Amino acid sequence: MRAVEGFTGSVGNTPLIYLKTLSEQTGCSILGKAEFQNPGGSIKDRAAVGIVLDAEKKGLIKPGGTVVEGTAGNTGIGLAHVCRAKGYKCVIFMPDTQSQEKIDLLRMLGAEVYPVPAVPYENPRNYNHQAKEYAQKLDNAIWTDQFDNTANAYAHYVTTGPEIWDQTEGRVDGFVCSTGTGGTLAGVGKYLKEKSDGKTQIWLADPPGSVLYTYVSSGGKLVERTGSSITEGIGQGRVTANLGTFIDGLDGALHVPDEQSIAMLYELLDTEGLYVGASTALNVVAAVELARKLGKGSRVVTVLCDGAYRYQSRLFSKRWLQSKGLFDAIPEHLRKYVVLD
C-alpha cells in the first residue's frame, strides 16, 4: 500500500462488508460499504472533500478563506477536518436537535458552531439559510450548500459508485440507501445504472417524517411533511438539487419505521460486531427488504454511514429510548446492550 496525501487523500476506498447473519437469513448477499472507516468517521467525508476541491478548482476560495455550511452534523465534521488540513476557517450552523457528541466534536476540530432552532427549510431562519447569509457577509468565503451543490453527488459518482462496482466485480442487483442531501443515492445510483446498462435497481430508503417515500411511490406528488424520526441527517421535505439529478432513475422507495431501525441497530451489534448509528441501521433494514423483493441469490449493497459514537448517549440510554417509545422495540435478548440510564 502506498502512502496518501494528507486527510483528503485518505478519504474513500472503504471496505465492502458481507453481513453474514442477514445474508444467511435471506438467502442473498447483503453488503455494507463501511463508510464509518473514512478518516472523519462518516460517508460525509466524501462530500466535504469533493465540494471543497470543486470550489478550489473554480477559484471560489483562496488560502486563508472561510468555509461555511448548514449541517445536521457529519458533513460539518468532514468539512472541519478538511479545513484543518487545508488551513481554512470553518463555520457551522446546525439544528439544536442534534446530539451533543456532534457539537462537541465540531468545536474540538476548531469549528465555530452555531446551534439554531430546528425549523423547516421554507422558514428563513432555517439553518441552511442562516449559513448562506453568514457566508455572503464575508470576503474569501464559500457557503458549501451541501444540499443543492451537485459537486456532492459528483463526488459519489467518481468515488463511491466505482468502488462498489469494482468490489462486487460488476455484479450488484440492487443498491439502496437513505438520503439527506441526496448526494450518495444520486451519485452512486447514476454510476451503477450506467455501468449495468440499467440492470441494477436503485431504491430510496426513508424514515418517518420525510416526504420522499410518498413522492417516489406516488410518481411525483410532494405532500406536506409530518412526523419525525430518531435518525439524524436523513429524510427530507423537498427534492434537493442533488437528488434531482437522479430521482427519475429510481426504481422505488421503502419506508422504514424507527422501531425497525432501532432493532436492527442492536442486531448488527450482536451478530456482526458493528457499532453503528440509526441511519446505518435503517439502510440495512431497507437492504434486507430489497433483497427479499429481488429474490434469493440477489446481491444488494447499502452504505454503513457512520458509527454509533456520535449518538451513544441517546441510542444506548434506557431513559431516552423509553421517552421515544422504542425500548420495547429492542428484542429482549439484546437489551443487555442498553447500558446507560
Side-chain angles (χ1 to χ4, degrees), residues 115-151:
V116 298
V119 295
Y121 183 82
E122 296 75 20
N123 189 311
R125 303 316 296 160
N126 177 272
Y127 63 100
N128 291 292
H129 304 317
Q130 292 200 51
K132 179 181 181 181
E133 291 168 6
Y134 186 93
Q136 288 174 336
K137 296 175 183 176
L138 302 176
D139 294 325
N140 190 19
I142 57 167
W143 169 50
T144 47
D145 189 16
Q146 61 165 325
F147 291 88
D148 295 315
N149 182 346
T150 55

Side-chain angles (χ1 to χ4, degrees), residues 266-287:
Y266 279 84
E267 182 176 346
L268 288 169
L269 176 59
D270 188 64
T271 61
E272 303 290 345
L274 292 173
Y275 187 64
V276 297
S279 298
T280 289
L282 181 148
N283 283 348
V284 176
V285 171

Side-chain angles (χ1 to χ4, degrees), residues 3 9 23 53 62 77 80 124 140 158 164 166 175 178 250 315 325:
S23 296
L53 291 179
K62 297 176 177 60
I77 291 166
N140 190 19
V158 297
I164 290 171
D166 289 343
F175 175 80
S178 53
L250 290 173
L315 297 176

Side-chain angles (χ1 to χ4, degrees), residues 150-187:
T150 55
N152 175 351
Y154 183 73
H156 292 285
Y157 178 78
V158 297
T159 67
T160 324
E163 288 173 29
I164 290 171
W165 186 257
D166 289 343
Q167 289 168 321
T168 59
E169 298 181 327
R171 195 203 141 197
V172 50
D173 301 301
F175 175 80
V176 61
C177 73
S178 53
T179 176
T181 66
T184 303
L185 186 63

Side-chain angles (χ1 to χ4, degrees), residues 44-282:
K44 295 297 187 177
D45 289 357
R46 294 183 189 260
V49 171
I51 288 172
V52 171
L53 291 179
D54 180 71
E56 290 177 337
K57 183 178 179 180
K58 293 176 178 175
L60 301 177
I61 190 168
K62 297 176 177 60
T66 302
V67 173
V68 186
E69 182 54 289
T71 169
N74 280 334
T75 301
I77 291 166
L79 286 169
H81 277 286
V82 172
C83 287
R84 292 277 56 74
K86 287 179 165 286
Y88 299 128
K89 181 180 178 181
C90 185
V91 179
I92 301 297
F93 287 79
M94 67 191 306
D96 58 9
T97 54
Q98 301 307 293
S99 66
Q100 190 62 41
E101 288 95 335
K102 284 184 180 178
I103 296 172
D104 291 343
L105 178 55
L106 281 165
R107 288 175 173 154
M108 290 172 194
L109 290 169
E112 286 184 23
V113 184
Y114 297 98
V116 298
V119 295
Y121 183 82
E122 296 75 20
N123 189 311
R125 303 316 296 160
N126 177 272
Y127 63 100
N128 291 292
H129 304 317
Q130 292 200 51
K132 179 181 181 181
E133 291 168 6
Y134 186 93
Q136 288 174 336
K137 296 175 183 176
L138 302 176
D139 294 325
N140 190 19
I142 57 167
W143 169 50
T144 47
D145 189 16
Q146 61 165 325
F147 291 88
D148 295 315
N149 182 346
T150 55
N152 175 351
Y154 183 73
H156 292 285
Y157 178 78
V158 297
T159 67
T160 324
E163 288 173 29
I164 290 171
W165 186 257
D166 289 343
Q167 289 168 321
T168 59
E169 298 181 327
R171 195 203 141 197
V172 50
D173 301 301
F175 175 80
V176 61
C177 73
S178 53
T179 176
T181 66
T184 303
L185 186 63
V188 174
K190 182 181 179 185
Y191 185 86
L192 295 180
K193 277 289 187 187
E194 289 177 358
K195 292 296 287 186
S196 68
D197 293 325
K199 295 176 183 176
T200 300
Q201 290 202 21
I202 311 296
W203 287 61
L204 179 149
D206 221 24
S210 175
V211 305
L212 297 178
Y213 166 76
T214 301
Y215 182 88
V216 174
S217 301
S218 68
K221 182 179 180 181
L222 198 61
V223 299
E224 187 175 348
R225 189 171 189 170
T226 59
S228 63
S229 171
I230 63 163
T231 56
E232 297 184 19
I234 61 171
Q236 262 297 346
R238 66 187 180 99
V239 177
T240 65
N242 278 292
L243 183 58
T245 64
F246 183 71
I247 196 161
D248 291 339
L250 290 173
D251 293 283
L254 301 168
H255 174 76
V256 181
D258 282 349
E259 289 81 2
Q260 292 182 28
S261 296
I262 201 70
M264 180 60 77
L265 186 150
Y266 279 84
E267 182 176 346
L268 288 169
L269 176 59
D270 188 64
T271 61
E272 303 290 345
L274 292 173
Y275 187 64
V276 297
S279 298
T280 289
L282 181 148

